[in-house]
């Protein structure tokens, strides 16, 4: 491998990085300050040529200066006309080392710093970095649940996490920590396990059953049953005694936090009616307490999916109040008239839980339908009046107890029926819809959906058919104004890359662009210029000139000798159907369009791409804050083209000029890999 030239040391007044260890992306690490530590000879030669090209004729004729250097005017012209940055122009001459110091600093990162934080708008005016089924470490059917999964996403910048809570009676999970060799042949255990697997298979549409039976996942499910199959002797014993064998407590369980009672089984967290392993709700709450505000003090939304009995719900409330003391919002004497701003909720946990109007919990006397709700008229949608003469039916009793429901102050979960249901104008409601549910509403009521999401919260989550924990395309749903687009952070795909691009360098909250926000700020917000009332769309020309790369990581199983990398650039923009109410792209994904281009493949980890130009002309319908450019380094192999490294940049933060693209590896981890490019973009 060729020698690399160390970049000149940065100024001593720069703050050191917060940690030397690499970080995993997903919630915005690509927006942190990054510099180039060494320069490969090929990259260095391009920089030498660039420097000499911009030396003025007068300097070139000065024989006393070897090599000729830049005057302060030369440097200013370069920064202003080539790099498109007019702030802090140099007042001194630039020698070559000064130029290299600039080019290897964070100032040439292709990702511009995030916009100055404005946390004064209502919560509905922000996109919020969000996780789906946060507790899972793998697929949706038989992976482990872990409290560490919450630590992982919180340290990566996530600000909305999900907890599925079940009774602590082992009725819906198969935990390796809750069974022992003594019940290996228990016929009742075998029958229960078999029934659970059948439930899992029943979730799969009939059209996919044939293909599913041929997969490795189907075989694993069958093996899951067979390994517990009872032998004849044990089956006979079980039939005679009619009693299950004793269950032992695992070593892991004995290490958990002290409980109020050794006989009381506390609520558990798992994916119900699957083979996923469980984790104690208390342990999850501890992880949230310890890591919820390490990265940022902006509010953390905890989305509860409650499947517990009233007694276990009481235990949930007790655990949350104990573990999150000082972090929960104070109890409110009256319903809120509007949503607060994130800046007013710093260091607080917002519990999202299903709303149970007072008097509608199970066991209470029948109540009138919840039509007299506190409401605002900021939405263009209004409740539809009841047909004349129609009798009002009593509301269905809620399965959520009041003590738990009252924790949902600004994030009250309401079952979605239509955009005209009475609760749709309650300031603190939040609808949760699957990706397919959003598509259906958009097809019927695109404008109403968009207007609703200016003023009120909505959450979108992946289809239940994504059993491998794949992700939807979040940009499709952000463009509907949906604030909380939940993703499977344990899986690396296009969806997580776009999430990284959206939230790079932020605290997990991004202010929506003009036209997507509420018409008014919060009462405590300072005066500011009014937002644009209409969403602005542009036509764009984009050119990415690819010079050279260095330190590219190989894909798993590959070596530098067999590595043939090429760079693919993709532009993700709004499609006409997303805006005008026609069909959304299938599966919530953007169509394979014309907005992608690639270089030829080259050999090794430090390829010279020879200034290959990748051009994108007249791209219509561009909203810069909701459009993205992905840089994908792939290995050119027949039938494989494995991903080696990548970066994703939101278009409004894509810097022009000569820039370094700092790459993450195939697993989203920071690397020293960079690509030297020249970016030109025109919006009109």
């Amino acid at each position: 491998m060729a020698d690399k030239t160390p970049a000149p040391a940065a100024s001593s007044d720069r703050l050191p990085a917060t940690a030397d260890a690499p970080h995993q992306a997903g919630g915005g690490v690509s927006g942190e300050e990054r510099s180039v530590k060494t320069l490969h000879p090929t990259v260095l030669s391009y920089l030498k040529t660039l420097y000499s090209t911009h030396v003025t004729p007068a300097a070139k004729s000065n024989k006393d200066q070897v090599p000729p250097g830049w005057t302060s005017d030369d440097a200013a012209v370069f920064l202003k006309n080539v790099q498109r940055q007019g702030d802090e122009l140099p007042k001194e001459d630039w020698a070559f080392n000064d130029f290299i110091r600039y080019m290897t600093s964070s100032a040439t990162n292709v990702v511009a710093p995030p916009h100055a934080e404005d946390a004064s708008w209502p919560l509905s005016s922000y996109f919020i970095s969000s996780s789906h089924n946060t507790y899972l470490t793998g697929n949706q059917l038989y992976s482990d649940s872990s409290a560490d999964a919450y630590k992982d996403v919180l340290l990566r910048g996530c600000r909305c996490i999900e907890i599925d809570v079940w009774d602590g009676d082992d009725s819906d999970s198969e935990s390796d920590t809750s069974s022992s060799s003594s019940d290996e042949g228990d016929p009742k255990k075998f029958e229960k396990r078999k029934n659970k697997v059948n439930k899992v298979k029943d979730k799969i549409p009939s059209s996919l059953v044939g293909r599913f039976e041929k997969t490795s996942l189907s075989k694993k499910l069958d093996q899951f049953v067979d390994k517990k199959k009872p032998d004849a002797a044990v089956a006979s014993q079980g039939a005679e005694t009619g009693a299950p064998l004793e269950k032992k407590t695992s070593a892991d369980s004995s290490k958990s936090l002290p409980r109020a009672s050794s006989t009381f089984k506390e609520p558990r967290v798992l994916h119900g009616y699957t083979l996923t392993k469980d984790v104690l709700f208390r342990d999850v709450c501890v992880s949230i307490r310890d890591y919820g505000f390490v990265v940022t003090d902006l509010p953390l939304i905890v989305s509860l999916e409650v499947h517990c009995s009233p007694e276990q719900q009481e235990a949930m409330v007790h655990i949350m109040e104990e573990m999150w003391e000082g972090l929960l919002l104070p109890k409110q004497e009256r319903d809120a008239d509007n949503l607060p701003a994130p800046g007013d909720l710093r260091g607080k946990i917002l519990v999202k839980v299903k709303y149970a109007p007072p008097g509608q919990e199970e066991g209470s006397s029948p109540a009138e339908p919840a039509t007299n709700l506190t409401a605002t008229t900021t939405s263009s949608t209004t409740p539809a009046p009841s047909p004349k003469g129609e009798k009002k039916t009593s509301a269905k009793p809620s399965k959520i107890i009041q003590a738990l429901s009252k924790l949902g102050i600004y994030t009250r979960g309401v079952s979605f029926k239509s955009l005209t249901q009475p609760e749709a104008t309650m300031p603190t409601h939040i609808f949760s819809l699957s990706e397919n549910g959003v598509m259906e509403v958009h097809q019927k009521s695109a404008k109403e959906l968009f207007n609703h999401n200016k003023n009120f919260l909505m959450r979108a989550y992946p289809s239940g058919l994504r059993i491998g924990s794949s992700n939807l395309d979040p940009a499709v749903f952000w463009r509907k104004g949906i604030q909380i687009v939940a993703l499977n952070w344990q899986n690396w795909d296009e969806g997580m890359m776009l999430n990284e691009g959206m939230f790079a360098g932020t605290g997990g909250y991004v202010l929506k662009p003009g036209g997507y926000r509420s018409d008014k700020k919060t009462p405590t917000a300072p005066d500011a210029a009014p937002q644009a009332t209409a969403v602005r769309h542009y036509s764009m020309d984009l050119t990415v000139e690819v010079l050279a790369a260095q330190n590219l990581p190989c894909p798993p199983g590959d070596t530098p000798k067999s590595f043939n990398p090429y760079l693919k650039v993709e532009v993700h923009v709004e499609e006409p159907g997303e805006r005008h109410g026609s069909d959304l792209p299938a599966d919530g994904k953007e169509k394979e369009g014309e907005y992608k281009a690639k270089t030829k493949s080259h050999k090794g980890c430090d390829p010279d791409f020879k200034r290959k130009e990748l051009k994108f002309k007249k791209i219509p319908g561009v909203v810069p804050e909701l459009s993205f450019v992905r840089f994908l380094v792939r290995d050119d192999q027949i039938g494989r083209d494995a991903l080696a490294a990548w970066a994703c940049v939101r278009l409004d933060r894509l810097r022009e000029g000569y820039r370094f693209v700092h790459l993450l590896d195939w697993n989203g981890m920071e690397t020293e890999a960079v690509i030297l490019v020249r970016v030109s973009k025109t919006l009109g």
Side-chain angles (χ1 to χ4, degrees):
M1 183 179 293
D3 292 336
K4 293 184 174 64
T5 302
S11 174
S12 59
D13 59 357
R14 286 189 58 190
L15 294 175
T18 55
D20 294 330
H23 300 89
Q24 190 173 30
V29 302
S30 61
E32 296 178 357
E33 288 194 357
R34 299 292 306 278
S35 60
V36 180
K37 297 177 180 178
T38 61
L39 291 172
H40 186 273
T42 304
V43 175
L44 183 61
S45 67
Y46 277 114
L47 295 180
K48 287 180 177 178
T49 301
L50 176 61
Y51 184 78
S52 62
T53 301
H54 287 81
V55 174
T56 58
K60 290 180 180 179
S61 63
N62 186 351
K63 298 181 180 179
D64 295 332
Q65 192 174 12
V66 182
W70 283 6
T71 65
S72 60
D73 289 341
D74 293 335
V77 168
F78 174 76
L79 293 178
K80 187 175 181 180
N81 296 342
V82 179
Q83 301 296 83
R84 303 295 184 186
Q85 57 185 78
D87 54 333
E88 299 183 12
L89 295 178
K91 298 179 180 179
E92 298 179 353
D93 295 347
W94 271 19
F96 181 65
N97 275 353
D98 297 319
F99 169 72
I100 292 297
R101 185 176 293 110
Y102 161 76
M103 287 301 301
T104 55
S105 73
S106 61
T108 59
N109 190 340
V110 75
V111 184
H115 304 300
E117 180 186 272
D118 180 359
S120 63
W121 288 78
L123 282 170
S124 59
S125 296
Y126 295 85
F127 298 119
I128 304 171
S129 184
S130 308
S131 165
H132 171 250
N133 287 356
T134 312
Y135 47 88
L136 291 180
T137 58
N139 65 63
Q140 304 289 308
L141 291 184
Y142 60 85
S143 64
D144 290 339
S145 299
S146 171
D148 282 342
Y150 291 87
K151 171 185 175 181
D152 174 66
V153 302
L154 289 170
L155 292 181
R156 290 161 62 191
C158 186
R159 299 320 290 161
C160 180
I161 54 180
E162 184 178 15
I163 313 177
D164 284 15
V165 194
W166 297 77
D167 285 347
D169 60 2
D170 297 329
S171 62
D172 290 294
S173 73
E174 280 290 346
S175 174
D176 288 342
T177 64
S178 63
S179 62
S180 66
S181 58
S182 62
D183 62 24
E184 284 291 322
D186 185 354
K188 291 187 177 181
K189 298 289 183 184
F190 170 73
E191 192 62 29
K192 175 182 171 183
R193 183 178 285 249
K194 185 176 180 180
N195 289 337
K196 287 187 65 178
V197 169
N198 289 335
K199 282 184 180 180
V200 170
K201 291 184 176 181
D202 287 343
K203 288 186 176 184
I204 302 170
S206 56
S207 59
L208 301 179
V209 169
R211 279 185 284 174
F212 175 76
E213 294 293 345
K214 299 177 183 179
T215 65
S216 60
L217 179 56
S218 176
K219 295 178 182 178
K220 288 182 179 179
L221 291 178
D222 293 335
Q223 292 169 1
F224 182 81
V225 175
D226 291 340
K227 73 178 182 180
K228 295 288 185 179
K229 191 170 184 178
D231 56 44
V234 175
S236 175
Q237 178 187 0
E240 291 174 3
T241 62
L245 299 177
E246 183 181 0
K247 182 180 290 185
K248 296 182 180 179
T249 304
S250 71
D252 288 343
S253 296
S254 65
K255 293 178 182 177
S256 58
L257 297 172
R259 309 292 183 244
S261 169
S262 59
T263 58
F264 179 74
K265 293 183 178 179
E266 292 192 338
R268 303 164 301 135
V269 177
L270 71 147
H271 198 195
Y273 307 113
T274 67
L275 309 177
T276 56
K277 314 302 186 296
D278 62 7
V279 62
L280 286 169
F281 178 67
R282 179 184 293 266
D283 292 344
V284 168
C285 289
V286 170
S287 187
I288 293 169
R289 177 198 67 192
D290 292 346
Y291 299 101
F293 299 98
V294 172
V295 173
T296 178
D297 66 351
L298 290 172
L300 173 65
I301 300 173
V302 176
S303 179
L304 296 177
E305 183 92 16
V306 182
H307 306 273
C308 294
S309 65
E311 294 77 15
Q312 292 273 290
Q313 291 181 44
E314 290 176 0
M316 288 177 60
V317 173
H318 173 77
I319 291 170
M320 286 188 285
E321 290 180 341
E322 177 190 354
M323 295 295 104
W324 299 342
E325 183 179 3
L327 300 176
L328 293 171
L329 294 171
K331 294 181 180 179
Q332 306 292 305
E333 295 182 359
R334 60 185 298 272
D335 292 344
D337 294 327
N338 50 61
L339 286 174
D344 296 332
L345 301 170
R346 293 184 184 275
K348 293 299 182 182
I349 292 175
L350 278 59
V351 176
K352 174 191 167 294
V353 64
K354 190 168 184 180
Y355 176 54
Q360 288 192 15
E361 62 269 25
E362 285 187 328
S364 65
S365 58
E368 289 296 311
T371 55
N372 188 25
L373 297 170
T374 303
T376 63
T377 57
T378 53
S379 173
S380 64
T381 59
T382 56
S386 300
K388 188 174 182 180
E390 183 179 304
K391 293 183 178 180
K392 292 182 179 180
T393 58
S394 296
K396 184 178 179 182
S398 173
K399 295 182 179 180
I400 304 299
I401 65 172
Q402 276 298 300
L404 180 55
S405 176
K406 286 181 178 179
L407 293 179
I409 296 173
Y410 299 120
T411 45
R412 293 172 166 177
V414 175
S415 297
F416 178 80
K417 300 179 182 64
S418 75
L419 291 171
T420 59
Q421 69 190 79
E423 298 92 338
T425 52
M426 184 172 69
T428 56
H429 83 275
I430 176 170
F431 289 138
S432 288
L433 288 83
S434 70
E435 56 182 293
N436 296 329
V438 172
M439 293 179 192
E440 291 177 6
V441 176
H442 174 78
Q443 290 169 0
K444 297 175 182 177
S445 309
K447 183 177 180 180
E448 291 78 8
L449 175 66
F450 185 82
N451 286 332
H452 170 277
N453 294 336
K454 287 183 180 181
N455 304 292
F456 308 109
L457 292 171
M458 183 174 283
R459 174 178 175 267
Y461 57 90
S463 164
L465 297 180
R466 295 182 181 273
I467 57 178
S469 295
S470 64
N471 282 305
L472 46 78
D473 179 347
V476 170
F477 300 88
W478 290 326
R479 294 180 193 123
K480 304 291 160 289
I482 297 175
Q483 300 85 0
I484 300 173
V485 182
L487 300 177
N488 294 306
W489 287 50
Q490 69 272 33
N491 191 41
W492 272 107
D493 55 17
E494 176 183 307
M496 282 301 295
M497 293 180 189
L498 294 172
N499 203 66
E500 173 69 24
M502 169 61 83
F503 296 102
T506 71
Y509 281 75
V510 170
L511 186 64
K512 292 180 179 180
Y516 282 76
R517 304 195 289 268
S518 171
D519 292 332
K520 62 180 181 180
K521 282 199 169 189
T522 58
T524 59
D527 293 335
Q531 65 158 330
T533 56
V535 179
R536 297 189 64 184
H537 294 79
Y538 299 87
S539 175
M540 180 181 70
D541 290 340
L542 175 67
T543 300
V544 179
E545 184 180 359
V546 189
L547 284 73
Q550 63 180 40
N551 300 323
L552 296 181
C554 296
D558 212 341
T559 64
K561 290 185 177 180
S562 60
F563 187 29
N564 296 288
Y566 66 88
L567 175 66
K568 182 179 181 181
V569 176
E570 295 183 356
V571 181
H572 295 252
V573 298
E574 180 178 282
E575 296 210 1
E578 293 184 60
R579 199 186 326 159
H580 301 301
S582 59
D583 290 347
L584 277 176
D587 252 354
K589 285 185 172 291
E590 286 190 325
K591 298 173 185 175
E592 289 290 329
E594 60 221 356
Y595 309 130
K596 54 187 177 182
K598 65 180 182 178
T599 68
K600 294 181 179 179
S601 60
H602 296 269
K603 198 79 173 175
C605 297
D606 306 290
D608 181 355
F609 290 109
K610 304 184 183 301
R611 306 190 80 113
K612 172 64 177 179
E613 284 192 341
L614 305 178
K615 294 186 176 183
F616 305 87
K617 294 290 188 181
K618 306 296 182 186
I619 300 179
V622 175
V623 178
E625 299 91 339
L626 290 169
S627 302
F628 301 85
V629 179
R630 281 203 302 160
F631 299 85
L632 305 170
V633 177
R634 293 188 176 276
D635 189 9
D636 189 4
Q637 292 186 355
I638 297 176
R640 188 184 178 194
D641 282 17
L643 180 68
W646 62 275
C648 184
V649 187
R650 210 172 70 202
L651 187 62
D652 64 320
R653 294 177 59 187
L654 181 71
R655 282 168 157 168
E656 293 189 79
Y658 288 91
R659 303 290 174 182
F660 279 108
V661 181
H662 291 264
L663 298 170
L664 301 153
D665 70 10
W666 61 275
N667 196 35
M669 301 298 291
E670 288 180 338
T671 72
E672 294 300 324
V674 292
I675 306 176
L676 178 61
V677 299
R678 184 179 185 181
V679 177
S680 302
K681 65 177 178 180
T682 303
L683 295 171

